[in-house]
Protein backbone atom coordinates (compact mmCIF):
# COMPACT_ATOMS: atom_id res chain seq x y z
CA UNK A 1 0.00 0.00 0.00
CA UNK A 2 1.24 3.46 -0.81
CA UNK A 3 1.24 5.74 2.20
CA UNK A 4 -0.28 9.20 2.18
CA UNK A 5 -3.39 11.05 3.23
CA UNK A 6 -6.21 8.61 3.85
CA UNK A 7 -8.80 11.24 2.88
CA UNK A 8 -7.50 11.49 -0.69
CA UNK A 9 -8.01 7.97 -1.94
CA UNK A 10 -8.86 8.10 -5.62
CA UNK A 11 -7.80 4.86 -7.29
CA UNK A 12 -7.10 1.29 -6.32
CA UNK A 13 -5.34 -0.85 -8.89
CA UNK A 14 -4.81 -4.56 -9.43
CA UNK A 15 -2.92 -6.39 -12.11
CA UNK A 16 -3.53 -9.74 -13.70
CA UNK A 17 -1.91 -11.21 -16.79
CA UNK A 18 -2.10 -8.49 -19.44
CA UNK A 19 -4.83 -6.46 -17.69
CA UNK A 20 -4.47 -3.53 -15.35
CA UNK A 21 -7.67 -2.91 -13.38
CA UNK A 22 -8.21 0.59 -12.04
CA UNK A 23 -11.03 0.92 -9.50
CA UNK A 24 -12.17 4.49 -9.01
CA UNK A 25 -12.87 5.13 -5.32
CA UNK A 26 -14.69 8.45 -5.69
CA UNK A 27 -18.45 8.74 -6.16
CA UNK A 28 -18.36 11.27 -8.96
CA UNK A 29 -16.14 11.83 -11.93
CA UNK A 30 -16.40 15.54 -12.54
CA UNK A 31 -14.32 18.70 -12.85
CA UNK A 32 -13.31 18.50 -9.18
CA UNK A 33 -11.75 15.02 -9.43
CA UNK A 34 -10.97 14.43 -13.12
CA UNK A 35 -7.66 16.30 -13.30
CA UNK A 36 -6.12 14.56 -10.29
CA UNK A 37 -7.48 11.17 -11.30
CA UNK A 38 -6.04 11.62 -14.80
CA UNK A 39 -2.61 12.35 -13.29
CA UNK A 40 -2.82 9.20 -11.15
CA UNK A 41 -3.99 7.08 -14.07
CA UNK A 42 -1.11 8.38 -16.21
CA UNK A 43 1.43 7.42 -13.53
CA UNK A 44 -0.06 3.95 -13.10
CA UNK A 45 -0.36 3.27 -16.83
CA UNK A 46 3.26 4.38 -17.33
CA UNK A 47 4.42 2.11 -14.52
CA UNK A 48 2.73 -0.98 -15.94
CA UNK A 49 3.10 -2.05 -19.54
CA UNK A 50 0.04 -4.27 -19.68
CA UNK A 51 -1.76 -4.37 -22.98
CA UNK A 52 -5.21 -3.54 -21.66
CA UNK A 53 -6.58 -1.19 -19.02
CA UNK A 54 -9.93 -1.75 -17.37
CA UNK A 55 -11.56 1.01 -15.31
CA UNK A 56 -14.08 -0.15 -12.72
CA UNK A 57 -16.90 2.37 -12.25
CA UNK A 58 -18.67 0.52 -9.42
CA UNK A 59 -18.40 3.53 -7.07
CA UNK A 60 -19.16 6.25 -9.64
CA UNK A 61 -22.68 7.64 -9.28
CA UNK A 62 -22.38 10.74 -11.50
CA UNK A 63 -20.12 11.82 -14.32
CA UNK A 64 -19.78 15.18 -16.04
CA UNK A 65 -18.22 16.10 -19.37
CA UNK A 66 -14.87 16.22 -17.56
CA UNK A 67 -15.23 12.53 -16.83
CA UNK A 68 -15.99 11.81 -20.49
CA UNK A 69 -12.93 13.86 -21.41
CA UNK A 70 -10.79 11.84 -19.01
CA UNK A 71 -11.91 8.59 -20.67
CA UNK A 72 -11.19 9.93 -24.14
CA UNK A 73 -7.71 11.15 -23.13
CA UNK A 74 -6.82 7.82 -21.53
CA UNK A 75 -8.20 5.96 -24.55
CA UNK A 76 -6.19 8.07 -26.99
CA UNK A 77 -2.96 7.47 -25.07
CA UNK A 78 -3.58 3.73 -24.87
CA UNK A 79 -4.43 3.54 -28.58
CA UNK A 80 -1.12 5.22 -29.43
CA UNK A 81 0.59 2.48 -27.42
CA UNK A 82 -1.48 -0.26 -29.13
CA UNK A 83 -3.39 -0.90 -25.90
CA UNK A 84 -7.10 -1.03 -25.21
CA UNK A 85 -9.37 0.64 -22.67
CA UNK A 86 -12.48 -0.89 -21.19
CA UNK A 87 -14.92 0.29 -18.55
CA UNK A 88 -17.05 -1.91 -16.37
CA UNK A 89 -19.78 -1.66 -13.73
CA UNK A 90 -21.24 1.61 -14.94
CA UNK A 91 -24.63 2.62 -13.62
CA UNK A 92 -27.59 2.87 -16.04
CA UNK A 93 -27.62 6.69 -16.16
CA UNK A 94 -23.92 6.95 -17.05
CA UNK A 95 -24.35 4.10 -19.53
CA UNK A 96 -27.16 6.02 -21.23
CA UNK A 97 -25.03 9.20 -21.46
CA UNK A 98 -22.08 7.24 -22.88
CA UNK A 99 -24.34 5.74 -25.54
CA UNK A 100 -26.12 9.01 -26.36
CA UNK A 101 -22.74 10.69 -26.91
CA UNK A 102 -21.60 7.60 -28.86
CA UNK A 103 -18.46 7.45 -26.74
CA UNK A 104 -18.98 3.71 -26.36
CA UNK A 105 -17.65 3.32 -29.91
CA UNK A 106 -14.20 4.49 -28.73
CA UNK A 107 -13.65 1.84 -26.07
CA UNK A 108 -15.19 -1.34 -24.68
CA UNK A 109 -18.08 -1.09 -22.22
CA UNK A 110 -18.64 -4.26 -20.23
CA UNK A 111 -21.63 -5.30 -18.11
CA UNK A 112 -19.60 -7.03 -15.43
CA UNK A 113 -16.04 -7.83 -14.37
CA UNK A 114 -16.18 -11.45 -15.46
CA UNK A 115 -17.18 -10.48 -19.01
CA UNK A 116 -14.47 -7.82 -19.14
CA UNK A 117 -11.71 -10.09 -17.92
CA UNK A 118 -12.79 -12.88 -20.21
CA UNK A 119 -12.60 -10.56 -23.23
CA UNK A 120 -9.37 -8.84 -22.17
CA UNK A 121 -7.31 -11.71 -20.83
CA UNK A 122 -9.26 -14.93 -20.47
CA UNK A 123 -8.39 -14.64 -16.78
CA UNK A 124 -10.64 -15.96 -14.06
CA UNK A 125 -12.24 -13.29 -11.85
CA UNK A 126 -11.33 -15.31 -8.75
CA UNK A 127 -7.67 -14.92 -9.60
CA UNK A 128 -8.09 -11.13 -9.63
CA UNK A 129 -9.95 -10.82 -6.34
CA UNK A 130 -7.28 -12.80 -4.49
CA UNK A 131 -4.55 -10.31 -5.30
CA UNK A 132 -3.71 -7.43 -2.98
CA UNK A 133 -4.68 -4.02 -4.18
CA UNK A 134 -2.60 -0.86 -4.04
CA UNK A 135 -4.40 2.37 -3.22
CA UNK A 136 -3.24 5.54 -4.94
CA UNK A 137 -3.78 8.64 -2.87
Amino acid sequence: MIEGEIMKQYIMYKKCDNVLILKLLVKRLDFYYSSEILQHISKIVTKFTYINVLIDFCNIKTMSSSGIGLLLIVNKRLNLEKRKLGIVNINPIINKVIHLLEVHTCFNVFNNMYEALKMFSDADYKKITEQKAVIIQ
Side-chain angles (χ1 to χ4, degrees):
M1 182 178 280
I2 296 174
E3 298 196 23
E5 284 184 75
I6 297 291
M7 296 184 326
K8 286 202 166 194
Q9 295 179 348
Y10 295 121
I11 300 174
M12 180 170 60
Y13 67 89
K14 301 176 188 178
K15 56 185 176 142
C16 179
D17 297 332
N18 67 336
V19 179
L20 179 62
I21 301 170
L22 307 175
K23 182 175 183 180
L24 301 179
L25 302 176
V26 295
K27 292 188 179 186
R28 57 185 213 257
L29 194 53
D30 57 14
F31 179 77
Y32 182 77
Y33 290 110
S34 290
S35 178
E36 280 192 71
I37 289 175
L38 181 59
Q39 289 176 9
H40 291 308
I41 289 175
S42 293
K43 287 178 188 174
I44 297 167
V45 168
T46 300
K47 184 177 178 181
F48 295 96
T49 56
Y50 294 92
I51 297 193
N52 301 311
V53 175
L54 185 61
I55 301 178
D56 187 348
F57 268 59
C58 68
N59 294 317
I60 303 293
K61 305 297 179 219
T62 61
M63 183 170 67
S64 72
S65 59
S66 297
I68 298 285
L70 178 145
L71 292 174
L72 293 173
I73 290 168
V74 171
N75 186 61
K76 182 177 180 177
R77 175 181 175 179
L78 293 173
N79 282 338
L80 290 173
E81 298 171 3
K82 307 283 189 237
R83 303 203 266 173
K84 294 183 181 180
L85 173 66
I87 60 173
V88 66
N89 294 328
I90 57 176
N91 73 37
I93 295 169
I94 294 174
N95 190 29
K96 187 173 183 177
V97 170
I98 285 173
H99 281 79
L100 284 173
L101 296 174
E102 297 185 3
V103 180
H104 69 286
T105 61
C106 300
F107 45 79
N108 295 296
V109 179
F110 298 103
N111 294 320
N112 57 58
M113 189 64 75
Y114 182 79
E115 176 186 296
L117 292 174
K118 187 167 171 76
M119 287 289 291
F120 268 9
S121 73
D122 294 325
D124 187 4
Y125 181 65
K126 271 187 169 176
K127 187 175 177 184
I128 296 292
T129 56
E130 291 171 1
Q131 293 182 1
K132 285 196 168 189
V134 177
I135 297 177
I136 298 297
Q137 304 171 19

